[in-house]
Amino acid sequence: MEAASTIELTRVGLLPNVQYFLPPDPISEETNPLLLPLHCPQCSCNRKAKNLLKRTYTSLFPRKEISDSCVRAQKWCQTAGVSENSEALYIEILSNSIESEYSEQIERDIDRSFPDLYYFTLGEGKIALKRVLSSFSRFLPNIGYVQGMNYLVGTLLWHASEADTFWLLVNLMQNYKLYENYIENFPGLEKHCHIIDFLISNYQPKLYQHFLQYGLITQMYATDWCFTIFTCLLPINYSYFVLGKFFKSGWIYFYKLVLEILDRLEEQILGCDNIAKILASLKPYTTGKKHSKKFVKNLAKGGERLNWKKLAKQAQLREIDENVISCLDRNAENLHTAGL
Amino acid sequence: MEVDREFKIVTLGEGRVGKTSLAMRYVRGQFNEKEQSTTNANFLEKNIRINETSIKLNIWDTAGQERFRALAPNYYREAKGALLVYDITDKESFWKVVSWVEELKMQADKDISFVIAGNKCDLELDRQIPKEQAIAYAKQIGAAHYSTSAKSGMGVNECFEEIAKLILDKESRSGSPIRSSKARSRVIVKNQEEVVKKKKSGGCC
């Protein structure tokens, strides 16, 4: 089972120097009817598609019966470099992924990822979520499964087919270096928090001093954001505002959004006289849509009507010094490879 | 409301044993059958009153997955109390508690107080950890044991308040300053000579 087969890696754009688990014997769909995809994206992106043909096609068939990725997810696949025809390989990997050392943890998390959504608690989405996570944990065993991935995968599934979701995830891990966040000791998390720290000290020095004074470290509020690219914070049908821009601009966009949020909260945070109050404004503790609405409402400045779409857009307009960020990024990586 | 003392408490244990549910039940009085899985840690606070000392509990509710253990020191550092949670229907989760105790004894504040909570007591029929065994273990490490159910609310207030009491007791025994008049008088009665000596030498910070 463990031997990696000689499937042409280039076919799906895999990196040559990374350890992959690849299934030894391809299993045909005929022998394994259970492997047929059941999942259909639940978003309504296609209904708003500019392409008339697609729009008509969608209006003729209820969304629930189309298993292809929506127009948005297809765009992400293009941007992220997911090649077409990768479904067969996904099915092969899936057929070898029924059990992994992460099965138990995945099982523990699967129905409490989106507890308010029937689709992920009892519907087909539950199976799809489990299959993508299991396949991934088997495919890249060094990363495996880490809590937080469940939100990301669920959000991708909302828009994309099962196979596309899998390959988008693989691409996010590799090309967007998301894997650094999840591997042992979380070097990526450390790096991003370090960069966020730097940005705060530069752009919001008062806030930086305030955090320092009350012993608040960036990991305390930014871990969820880093691990899930904000998908744990946004309602699932709004996540694409952020995710789409992340696919386009990568971590630069992520930092911009963090700064946008902190900027809007600055006054409120400076008024907090202990760590508990600061955290309460950065990390409101309720779940679901309500929590998200409340969070974004709190970010509105003087009478402004703010929603996630606007916020995501405004963040993109921010200007930050990308050269410095890429320097910090490189430094952190060199330190990591040097084993420091 | 004026707060006399502020304690940092951390919840630790295997994933899905009910750490978040216990904390939410305690702080908000709510139980959500469909609690979301935790990434890294959540933060909650609650004001309580014990023996006329008003206390603010800062509760760090951590993620259960093994890999997050690397981040746990951020949360148990300087914590005065730990609520170690296991699921009575899940044998593995009890061993996780044991391993947390080992780690905290080595790494955490040496005065840290432990309370062990056997959660999901509403599922008594599926119990896999004999209550006696758990209580015996708790006794052995000098911790209190509570049978809890975040669902029914059983034992929830008690286990958190026990942590606060244990911390207060420890503080009063070691003689660190406590603003509450009652607590202070107890300290002086118990260690009067010591306190006087310390005052004379003036060495206490």
Side-chain angles (χ1 to χ4, degrees):
Chain A
M1 274 284 271
E2 293 300 327
S5 80
T6 49
I7 292 177
E8 326 127 63
L9 294 182
T10 45
R11 204 173 78 197
V12 283
L14 304 187
L15 301 177
N17 56 347
V18 179
Q19 280 261 319
Y20 298 97
F21 167 80
L22 289 165
D25 304 306
I27 294 175
S28 69
E29 283 181 28
E30 280 166 58
T31 54
N32 245 314
L34 283 176
L35 294 176
L36 289 170
L38 299 159
H39 153 75
C40 298
Q42 301 292 298
C43 64
S44 48
C45 300
N46 279 3
R47 238 171 275 159
K48 296 169 201 155
K50 282 183 188 134
N51 183 332
L52 184 69
L53 203 70
K54 265 211 172 102
R55 216 167 49 216
T56 328
Y57 176 62
T58 329
S59 58
L60 286 177
F61 300 97
R63 185 73 189 119
K64 281 186 175 170
E65 287 171 21
I66 305 168
S67 65
D68 299 345
S69 299
C70 76
V71 278
R72 272 206 183 89
Q74 283 174 16
K75 212 168 155 192
W76 298 345
C77 287
Q78 274 174 16
T79 328
V82 173
S83 56
E84 287 170 30
N85 310 321
S86 45
E87 185 157 1
L89 183 55
Y90 168 67
I91 302 271
E92 283 169 32
I93 296 162
L94 175 65
S95 62
N96 279 278
S97 306
I98 290 109
E99 279 297 316
S100 81
E101 59 175 306
Y102 297 98
S103 305
E104 201 205 322
Q105 187 66 49
I106 293 173
E107 201 64 52
R108 278 175 196 269
D109 288 347
I110 214 79
D111 56 351
R112 50 183 198 138
S113 303
F114 299 94
D116 300 332
L117 294 171
Y118 176 87
Y119 189 67
F120 285 113
T121 49
L122 295 159
E124 277 95 25
K126 183 180 172 183
I127 304 156
L129 189 56
K130 188 174 153 187
R131 299 203 315 184
V132 172
L133 289 171
S134 311
S135 313
F136 181 81
S137 70
R138 193 89 169 91
F139 183 60
L140 281 163
N142 291 347
I143 305 175
Y145 165 73
V146 185
Q147 288 178 325
M149 282 183 195
N150 45 340
Y151 298 103
L152 193 55
V153 171
T155 308
L156 289 171
L157 279 171
W158 197 252
H159 297 274
S161 71
E162 218 180 293
D164 280 350
T165 299
F166 178 82
W167 293 114
L168 277 172
L169 182 67
V170 171
N171 264 275
L172 278 173
M173 292 291 172
Q174 296 182 155
N175 302 345
Y176 295 78
K177 294 190 179 162
L178 224 67
Y179 76 92
E180 297 175 332
N181 279 353
Y182 293 112
I183 53 176
E184 214 62 55
N185 294 322
F186 314 113
L189 178 68
E190 205 177 302
K191 178 178 84 182
H192 299 308
C193 289
H194 177 65
I195 293 176
I196 293 171
D197 265 348
F198 170 83
L199 290 171
I200 301 174
S201 71
N202 252 283
Y203 293 93
Q204 282 137 333
K206 270 192 216 157
L207 212 54
Y208 186 76
Q209 281 300 323
H210 198 69
F211 286 164
L212 217 57
Q213 186 185 345
Y214 291 102
L216 183 102
I217 53 174
T218 315
Q219 267 99 332
M220 287 177 180
Y221 63 89
T223 305
D224 313 14
W225 301 350
C226 281
F227 274 37
T228 68
I229 319 290
F230 287 100
T231 53
C232 67
L233 193 64
L234 276 81
I236 198 162
N237 45 342
Y238 293 161
S239 287
Y240 69 85
F241 297 134
V242 172
L243 219 47
K245 293 186 174 68
F246 184 80
F247 274 116
K248 225 171 161 182
S249 326
W251 287 98
I252 294 288
Y253 178 70
F254 177 85
Y255 301 135
K256 284 183 179 177
L257 186 54
V258 172
L259 279 184
E260 180 74 28
I261 291 174
L262 290 176
D263 194 14
R264 286 169 170 277
L265 285 173
E266 180 164 12
E267 219 165 289
Q268 190 183 334
I269 292 174
L270 290 178
C272 298
D273 58 0
N274 66 41
I275 190 170
K277 282 183 192 156
I278 301 175
L279 276 165
S281 48
L282 284 165
K283 236 182 120 128
Y285 201 124
T286 43
T287 50
K289 261 189 184 169
K290 245 191 194 167
H291 138 106
S292 179
K293 245 188 183 167
K294 205 175 141 196
F295 184 81
V296 89
K297 213 174 165 187
N298 195 25
L299 295 177
K301 271 178 179 169
E304 160 197 37
R305 286 190 72 174
L306 191 69
N307 54 31
W308 278 107
K309 193 179 177 180
K310 256 190 198 165
L311 184 73
K313 254 191 183 160
Q314 291 203 352
Q316 200 175 24
L317 298 175
R318 289 188 82 87
E319 282 186 13
I320 53 174
D321 193 340
E322 296 186 21
N323 289 331
V324 176
I325 291 177
S326 65
C327 271
L328 287 170
D329 192 271
R330 258 201 317 278
N331 284 350
E333 264 161 40
N334 291 341
L335 282 179
H336 183 62
T337 38
L340 294 168
Chain B
M1 190 177 96
E2 205 195 311
V3 177
D4 293 329
R5 308 283 299 127
E6 215 174 307
F7 295 151
K8 179 177 173 185
I9 287 176
V10 60
T11 68
L12 297 165
E14 175 69 273
R16 215 185 173 142
V17 295
K19 298 180 292 297
T20 304
S21 293
L22 278 177
M24 287 296 269
R25 167 62 95 177
Y26 179 57
V27 174
R28 303 241 165 123
Q30 298 166 346
F31 175 72
N32 184 356
E33 189 87 50
K34 309 170 187 167
E35 196 59 65
Q36 270 183 299
S37 75
T38 309
T39 313
N40 193 13
N42 291 317
F43 181 80
L44 290 144
E45 53 179 349
K46 180 161 174 137
N47 292 311
I48 55 169
R49 185 164 273 280
I50 287 175
N51 298 338
E52 292 180 27
T53 312
S54 70
I55 299 168
K56 183 150 125 203
L57 294 179
N58 292 334
I59 303 167
W60 280 102
D61 166 38
T62 65
Q65 197 187 356
E66 187 63 26
R67 205 168 298 183
F68 284 98
R69 227 176 156 123
L71 297 177
N74 281 339
Y75 303 104
Y76 65 64
R77 192 178 300 138
E78 289 167 19
K80 293 278 173 231
L83 182 70
L84 302 152
V85 189
Y86 69 94
D87 171 355
I88 63 158
T89 69
D90 179 355
K91 240 183 198 159
E92 290 300 312
S93 70
F94 185 75
W95 298 118
K96 193 84 164 208
V97 165
V98 176
S99 75
W100 272 119
V101 170
E102 298 301 317
E103 179 169 338
L104 291 177
K105 278 191 168 165
M106 307 265 284
Q107 311 285 346
D109 192 309
K110 63 181 188 310
D111 285 332
I112 193 165
S113 304
F114 299 115
V115 168
I116 296 177
N119 196 32
K120 305 197 187 176
C121 275
D122 47 293
L123 304 173
E124 188 60 46
L125 286 175
D126 300 321
R127 181 186 274 280
Q128 281 198 14
I129 304 287
K131 202 171 172 181
E132 298 73 30
Q133 186 194 335
I135 293 175
Y137 173 72
K139 223 176 188 178
Q140 187 194 321
I141 61 157
H145 179 277
Y146 281 86
S147 295
T148 61
S149 164
K151 192 173 185 176
S152 73
M154 179 184 134
V156 178
N157 291 350
E158 289 82 348
C159 72
F160 279 98
E161 273 160 25
E162 179 68 26
I163 299 182
K165 277 181 203 156
L166 285 173
I167 301 170
L168 271 180
D169 273 3
K170 267 191 188 166
E171 284 202 342
S172 61
R173 254 183 282 141
S174 68
S176 51
I178 290 173
R179 260 185 267 162
S180 158
S181 56
K182 242 190 181 175
R184 195 194 299 143
S185 67
R186 203 171 42 184
V187 176
I188 293 172
V189 171
K190 270 186 183 169
N191 305 322
Q192 204 158 24
E193 280 182 4
E194 272 180 47
V195 173
V196 174
K197 269 182 200 167
K198 266 185 187 168
K199 266 188 184 164
K200 273 182 183 170
S201 63
C204 185
C205 46

